[in-house]
Amino acid sequence: MKYNKLIIGMSLAMGLLASAAAQTTMKISISVAQNSHQGIAIDTFAKEVEKRTAGRYKVQAFYNGSLGGERESIEAVQLGTQELAFSSSGPIPNFVPETKILDVPFLFRDKAHARAVLDGPIGQELLAKFEPKGFKALAWGENGFRHMTNSKRDVNVPADLKGLKMRTMENPVHIAAYKGLGIITTPMAFPEVFTALQQGTVDGQENPLSVIMSAKFDQVQKHLSLTGHVYSPCIFVMNKAIFDKLSAADKTAFVDAAKEGAKANRARVDQDDANGVKELRAKGMTVIDNVDKAKFVTALTTVNAGFEKDFGKANLDRIRNIK
Ligand code: EAX
């Protein structure tokens, strides 16, 4: 009996030691809630990494911007103080300017188009641009198409936006476009947005249904217009030096885990897009679901001419021509 206990005790201790020595924990963060299209992305990623590395790597997930907003988390990943982040493309141009082209309004026809671009050669070329900046970009995910909300009035046509004070992401392409629509732009990190809307520091904001619902913006915004004015990609980023230290098999495990995370993320966005309008109406929002997008495209003529000049018409057409 005593002997058995000793053996059990010893093997337990050895097991603990072995797992302590072999297990590495990494952090990943999002700026939105766990119950969201992004929460499912990082939870799936964490589960898949653990499974695919037989538990040698554990990924600890942080939600609600508890480690900082998206810009801060990307900075931390670049520095290596945080291993991983899942972020929208919002602050990414400040680190990898080549991604700016994806933030051009009305560039993508629908989610299928955007996903085909991101999963195809253009998306893969863009992932490679992260490497010289100290990142390994593992996979594209998404927020979905962004729509406008505000506390003042129904937005049916671009003229309705004139003078509205709206929070934007810290993204130069978005800011230029929204100014072109007559919006008074206030760039702000996401974790501050709910309070800013509640206190009336800004009148509105724009985000996909997935974000509007998970952030409960219906509690502080009355009017939603399905403008779908820009597609909002997301990305799994990892510190490059940390990624480079992984074995070849573990590198594949991390990339494949991110792809699984992206798959779950996109499925949830589809689900949110399918249910969102009904849910948000039930929560009291007025939803304008027949916005004439052509009018918004026309209002952006001058701004878009600038984007064609900056990004090159050929590069934009290359994206537009993907079927
Ligand atoms: O990535 O900042 C934003 O509006 C983003 O869409 C949000 O943080 C989710």
Side-chain angles (χ1 to χ4, degrees):
M1 184 66 193
K2 240 186 186 170
Y3 177 73
N4 274 350
K5 267 196 181 156
L6 188 69
I7 297 282
I8 291 169
M10 270 172 64
S11 48
L12 259 181
M14 276 162 61
L16 279 176
L17 270 178
S19 64
Q23 191 173 67
T24 306
T25 300
M26 297 188 178
K27 292 191 186 78
I28 191 164
S29 66
I30 53 173
S31 68
V32 298
Q34 180 175 16
N35 182 12
S36 71
H37 61 303
Q38 294 196 8
I40 202 166
I42 64 172
D43 288 351
T44 302
F45 173 74
K47 196 181 82 209
E48 290 291 328
V49 163
E50 202 166 333
K51 189 176 97 194
R52 287 162 193 266
T53 63
R56 285 175 293 106
Y57 288 92
K58 214 177 145 43
V59 176
Q60 209 183 346
F62 293 85
Y63 315 98
N64 289 312
S66 59
L67 296 185
E70 290 185 333
R71 183 174 44 76
E72 287 164 303
S73 67
I74 295 162
E75 254 161 29
V77 170
Q78 193 177 42
L79 287 168
T81 51
Q82 183 179 324
E83 293 83 359
L84 292 139
F86 185 74
S87 167
S88 78
S89 64
I92 303 271
N94 302 313
F95 301 84
V96 186
E98 291 89 341
T99 62
K100 254 192 245 180
I101 194 166
L102 300 173
D103 297 313
V104 169
F106 299 109
L107 174 62
F108 295 103
R109 294 181 300 275
D110 49 30
K111 280 181 289 187
H113 177 210
R115 292 168 184 179
V117 169
L118 294 173
D119 294 343
I122 298 172
Q124 301 315 297
E125 283 163 28
L126 286 172
L127 290 183
K129 305 280 187 212
F130 284 74
E131 304 213 0
K133 304 295 159 70
F135 302 102
K136 170 69 189 177
L138 298 171
W140 292 106
E142 71 184 13
N143 273 332
F145 276 93
R146 302 178 79 88
H147 306 296
M148 299 194 182
T149 71
N150 80 89
S151 58
K152 297 277 186 212
R153 55 182 173 259
D154 285 344
V155 170
N156 287 290
V157 292
D160 297 328
L161 292 168
K162 291 252 148 47
L164 277 185
K165 198 166 176 196
M166 293 200 17
R167 176 269 175 176
T168 74
M169 293 205 279
E170 299 162 279
N171 179 293
V173 178
H174 286 193
I175 294 169
Y178 305 159
K179 278 194 175 137
L181 290 170
I183 293 168
I184 301 169
T185 54
T186 307
M188 191 186 292
F190 189 78
E192 295 161 40
V193 179
F194 187 94
T195 308
L197 293 170
Q198 191 173 41
Q199 298 183 341
T201 319
V202 290
D203 304 317
Q205 64 86 46
E206 44 77 59
N207 252 303
L209 296 179
S210 289
V211 176
I212 295 171
M213 289 195 286
S214 60
K216 300 189 180 2
F217 286 159
D218 52 273
Q219 294 178 358
V220 285
Q221 296 277 269
K222 175 77 185 157
H223 309 273
L224 164 62
S225 289
L226 301 188
T227 44
H229 52 279
V230 70
Y231 176 76
S232 185
C234 287
I235 191 156
F236 279 99
V237 286
M238 183 164 180
N239 176 274
K240 185 169 186 307
I242 296 171
F243 180 81
D244 286 345
K245 282 196 205 108
L246 299 175
S247 70
D250 288 341
K251 282 181 179 140
T252 305
F254 272 69
V255 170
D256 289 348
K259 286 183 183 157
E260 289 301 318
K263 220 185 275 174
N265 158 252
R266 287 169 174 179
R268 174 66 184 262
V269 171
D270 286 339
Q271 190 189 318
D272 290 343
D273 279 345
N275 307 332
V277 169
K278 200 167 149 238
E279 275 184 35
L280 291 168
R281 278 189 175 135
K283 294 199 161 131
M285 288 190 96
T286 306
V287 184
I288 310 288
D289 58 5
N290 60 350
V291 173
D292 184 355
K293 291 189 189 171
K295 293 204 169 114
F296 288 80
V297 176
T298 306
L300 285 169
T301 306
T302 313
V303 178
N304 271 328
F307 290 151
E308 297 245 324
K309 206 168 132 250
D310 291 351
F311 302 127
K313 187 173 181 319
N315 292 325
L316 288 162
D317 282 344
R318 194 175 161 223
I319 293 178
R320 291 180 184 125
N321 292 336
I322 300 285
K323 291 284 170 287

